[in-house]
């Protein structure tokens, strides 16, 4: 069992922690590992590029389906590749109640956040069926996916409202922000 799995069991219970067991199965997929090895041995390609290529191919196959749940696994696959090639998780130390903004976030990274300080999670990429979304629901953390429409500049300390019901992210809200 992985450290992420054990940590998730302690924080969430077995059902949500099974996300990490499923992610580990992908990492142990012999067909995927063989493809990575083949790409590296075929020529001028780095291990990082081979991983990205093999994972992208797997994600592309999943994304072809009409089923939203299966399509969301494509994002999960891409997140796994990023975690491997980046070599580290993006940890954020929340010293005060905060809304976390990110291009994307993996379940492993979400689990590292202090739930007591995490008011909401807003990403540009993702799916409401993704492992991150499932884990956010298990942690009772509001999760909004903006799909590129949110301005993600330097917003440290800015006030904002996340309304998942309306699918809205409002920066510097005033009395006219909501009808």
């Amino acid at each position: 069992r992985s450290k992420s799995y054990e940590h998730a069991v302690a924080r969430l219970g077995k059902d949500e922690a099974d996300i990490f067991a499923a992610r580990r199965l992908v990492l142990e997929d012999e067909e995927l590992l063989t493809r990575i090895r083949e790409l590296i041995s075929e020529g001028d390609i780095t291990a990082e590029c081979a991983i990205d290529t093999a994972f992208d191919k797997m994600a592309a196959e999943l994304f072809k389906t009409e089923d939203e749940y299966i399509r969301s696994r494509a994002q999960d696959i891409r997140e796994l590749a990023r975690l491997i090639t980046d070599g580290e998780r993006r940890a954020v130390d929340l010293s005060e109640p905060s809304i976390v903004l990110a291009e994307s976030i993996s379940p492993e990274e979400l689990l590292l956040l202090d739930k007591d300080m995490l008011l909401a999670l807003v990403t540009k990429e993702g799916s409401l069926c993704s492992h991150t979304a499932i884990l956010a629901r298990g942690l009772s953390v509001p999760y909004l996916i903006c799909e590129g429409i949110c301005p993600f500049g330097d917003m440290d300390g800015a006030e904002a409202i996340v309304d998942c019901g309306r699918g809205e992210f409002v920066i510097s809200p005033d009395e006219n922000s909501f009808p």
Side-chain angles (χ1 to χ4, degrees), residues 39-62:
L39 286 166
I40 293 169
S41 67
E42 285 173 1
D44 296 328
I45 189 170
T46 65
E48 181 179 285
C49 187
I51 290 167
D52 284 340
T53 300
F55 275 73
D56 279 349
K57 182 179 181 202
M58 179 184 270
E61 290 299 317
L62 294 172

Short mmCIF file of all heavy atoms in Angstrom, two decimals, residues 39-62:
data_model
loop_
_atom_site.label_atom_id
_atom_site.label_comp_id
_atom_site.label_asym_id
_atom_site.label_seq_id
_atom_site.Cartn_x
_atom_site.Cartn_y
_atom_site.Cartn_z
N LEU A 39 9.50 2.98 -26.12
CA LEU A 39 9.75 4.34 -26.60
C LEU A 39 11.17 4.79 -26.27
O LEU A 39 11.85 5.41 -27.09
CB LEU A 39 8.73 5.31 -26.00
CG LEU A 39 7.32 5.24 -26.57
CD1 LEU A 39 6.34 6.00 -25.68
CD2 LEU A 39 7.29 5.78 -27.99
N ILE A 40 11.62 4.46 -25.07
CA ILE A 40 12.97 4.85 -24.65
C ILE A 40 14.02 4.10 -25.48
O ILE A 40 14.99 4.69 -25.95
CB ILE A 40 13.18 4.60 -23.15
CG1 ILE A 40 12.29 5.55 -22.33
CG2 ILE A 40 14.65 4.76 -22.76
CD1 ILE A 40 12.22 5.22 -20.85
N SER A 41 13.80 2.81 -25.68
CA SER A 41 14.80 2.00 -26.39
C SER A 41 14.82 2.26 -27.90
O SER A 41 15.79 1.97 -28.56
CB SER A 41 14.60 0.51 -26.11
OG SER A 41 13.38 0.07 -26.68
N GLU A 42 13.73 2.83 -28.43
CA GLU A 42 13.65 3.08 -29.87
C GLU A 42 14.56 4.22 -30.34
O GLU A 42 14.83 4.34 -31.51
CB GLU A 42 12.21 3.39 -30.28
CG GLU A 42 11.33 2.17 -30.31
CD GLU A 42 9.86 2.50 -30.55
OE1 GLU A 42 9.51 3.70 -30.70
OE2 GLU A 42 9.07 1.56 -30.57
N GLY A 43 14.98 5.08 -29.44
CA GLY A 43 15.84 6.15 -29.93
C GLY A 43 15.93 7.36 -29.06
O GLY A 43 15.93 7.27 -27.84
N ASP A 44 16.00 8.51 -29.71
CA ASP A 44 16.28 9.78 -29.07
C ASP A 44 15.06 10.34 -28.35
O ASP A 44 14.45 11.34 -28.77
CB ASP A 44 16.77 10.80 -30.11
CG ASP A 44 18.08 10.39 -30.72
OD1 ASP A 44 18.87 9.74 -30.02
OD2 ASP A 44 18.29 10.71 -31.90
N ILE A 45 14.73 9.74 -27.24
CA ILE A 45 13.60 10.20 -26.46
C ILE A 45 13.96 10.05 -24.98
O ILE A 45 14.54 9.04 -24.57
CB ILE A 45 12.30 9.43 -26.82
CG1 ILE A 45 11.09 10.07 -26.17
CG2 ILE A 45 12.43 7.97 -26.49
CD1 ILE A 45 9.76 9.51 -26.69
N THR A 46 13.64 11.05 -24.22
CA THR A 46 13.93 10.98 -22.78
C THR A 46 12.87 10.14 -22.09
O THR A 46 11.78 9.92 -22.62
CB THR A 46 13.93 12.39 -22.15
OG1 THR A 46 12.60 12.93 -22.25
CG2 THR A 46 14.93 13.30 -22.82
N ALA A 47 13.19 9.70 -20.89
CA ALA A 47 12.21 8.95 -20.10
C ALA A 47 10.97 9.80 -19.86
O ALA A 47 9.84 9.31 -19.93
CB ALA A 47 12.84 8.50 -18.78
N GLU A 48 11.17 11.08 -19.57
CA GLU A 48 10.04 11.98 -19.33
C GLU A 48 9.13 12.06 -20.55
O GLU A 48 7.90 11.97 -20.44
CB GLU A 48 10.57 13.38 -18.99
CG GLU A 48 9.47 14.38 -18.71
CD GLU A 48 10.03 15.73 -18.34
OE1 GLU A 48 10.53 15.88 -17.19
OE2 GLU A 48 9.96 16.65 -19.18
N CYS A 49 9.71 12.19 -21.72
CA CYS A 49 8.94 12.26 -22.96
C CYS A 49 8.23 10.93 -23.23
O CYS A 49 7.08 10.90 -23.67
CB CYS A 49 9.85 12.64 -24.12
SG CYS A 49 8.95 12.95 -25.64
N ALA A 50 8.90 9.83 -22.96
CA ALA A 50 8.30 8.50 -23.15
C ALA A 50 7.08 8.32 -22.23
O ALA A 50 6.04 7.80 -22.65
CB ALA A 50 9.33 7.41 -22.88
N ILE A 51 7.22 8.76 -20.99
CA ILE A 51 6.10 8.68 -20.04
C ILE A 51 4.94 9.53 -20.53
O ILE A 51 3.79 9.07 -20.59
CB ILE A 51 6.55 9.10 -18.62
CG1 ILE A 51 7.49 8.05 -18.05
CG2 ILE A 51 5.35 9.35 -17.71
CD1 ILE A 51 8.25 8.49 -16.81
N ASP A 52 5.22 10.78 -20.91
CA ASP A 52 4.16 11.66 -21.41
C ASP A 52 3.48 11.06 -22.63
O ASP A 52 2.25 11.07 -22.73
CB ASP A 52 4.73 13.04 -21.77
CG ASP A 52 5.01 13.89 -20.56
OD1 ASP A 52 4.44 13.63 -19.48
OD2 ASP A 52 5.81 14.85 -20.69
N THR A 53 4.25 10.53 -23.55
CA THR A 53 3.70 9.95 -24.78
C THR A 53 2.81 8.74 -24.48
O THR A 53 1.69 8.64 -24.98
CB THR A 53 4.84 9.53 -25.74
OG1 THR A 53 5.61 10.70 -26.05
CG2 THR A 53 4.31 8.91 -27.01
N ALA A 54 3.30 7.83 -23.66
CA ALA A 54 2.53 6.62 -23.33
C ALA A 54 1.26 6.96 -22.55
O ALA A 54 0.19 6.42 -22.84
CB ALA A 54 3.41 5.65 -22.54
N PHE A 55 1.38 7.85 -21.58
CA PHE A 55 0.21 8.24 -20.79
C PHE A 55 -0.79 9.02 -21.65
O PHE A 55 -2.00 8.85 -21.51
CB PHE A 55 0.63 9.05 -19.57
CG PHE A 55 1.02 8.23 -18.38
CD1 PHE A 55 2.22 7.53 -18.35
CD2 PHE A 55 0.19 8.13 -17.27
CE1 PHE A 55 2.59 6.77 -17.26
CE2 PHE A 55 0.54 7.38 -16.17
CZ PHE A 55 1.74 6.70 -16.16
N ASP A 56 -0.28 9.89 -22.54
CA ASP A 56 -1.18 10.64 -23.43
C ASP A 56 -1.96 9.71 -24.34
O ASP A 56 -3.15 9.93 -24.60
CB ASP A 56 -0.40 11.65 -24.28
CG ASP A 56 -0.08 12.93 -23.53
OD1 ASP A 56 -0.63 13.15 -22.42
OD2 ASP A 56 0.74 13.72 -24.04
N LYS A 57 -1.30 8.66 -24.83
CA LYS A 57 -1.99 7.69 -25.68
C LYS A 57 -3.10 7.00 -24.89
O LYS A 57 -4.22 6.83 -25.39
CB LYS A 57 -1.01 6.67 -26.23
CG LYS A 57 -1.68 5.68 -27.17
CD LYS A 57 -0.73 4.67 -27.75
CE LYS A 57 -1.50 3.74 -28.67
NZ LYS A 57 -0.85 2.49 -28.88
N MET A 58 -2.80 6.59 -23.67
CA MET A 58 -3.81 5.94 -22.83
C MET A 58 -4.96 6.92 -22.56
O MET A 58 -6.14 6.54 -22.65
CB MET A 58 -3.19 5.49 -21.50
CG MET A 58 -4.19 4.82 -20.56
SD MET A 58 -3.43 4.40 -18.96
CE MET A 58 -2.84 2.76 -19.33
N ALA A 59 -4.63 8.16 -22.26
CA ALA A 59 -5.67 9.17 -21.98
C ALA A 59 -6.52 9.43 -23.21
O ALA A 59 -7.75 9.56 -23.11
CB ALA A 59 -5.02 10.46 -21.49
N ALA A 60 -5.90 9.50 -24.38
CA ALA A 60 -6.63 9.74 -25.62
C ALA A 60 -7.65 8.63 -25.89
O ALA A 60 -8.77 8.90 -26.35
CB ALA A 60 -5.66 9.87 -26.80
N GLU A 61 -7.26 7.39 -25.62
CA GLU A 61 -8.19 6.27 -25.80
C GLU A 61 -9.40 6.41 -24.87
O GLU A 61 -10.54 6.18 -25.29
CB GLU A 61 -7.48 4.94 -25.55
CG GLU A 61 -6.47 4.58 -26.61
CD GLU A 61 -7.09 4.42 -27.98
OE1 GLU A 61 -8.16 3.82 -28.11
OE2 GLU A 61 -6.48 4.93 -28.95
N LEU A 62 -9.16 6.80 -23.64
CA LEU A 62 -10.27 6.98 -22.69
C LEU A 62 -11.16 8.14 -23.09
O LEU A 62 -12.37 8.10 -22.90
CB LEU A 62 -9.72 7.20 -21.28
CG LEU A 62 -8.99 6.01 -20.65
CD1 LEU A 62 -8.33 6.44 -19.34
CD2 LEU A 62 -9.94 4.85 -20.42
#
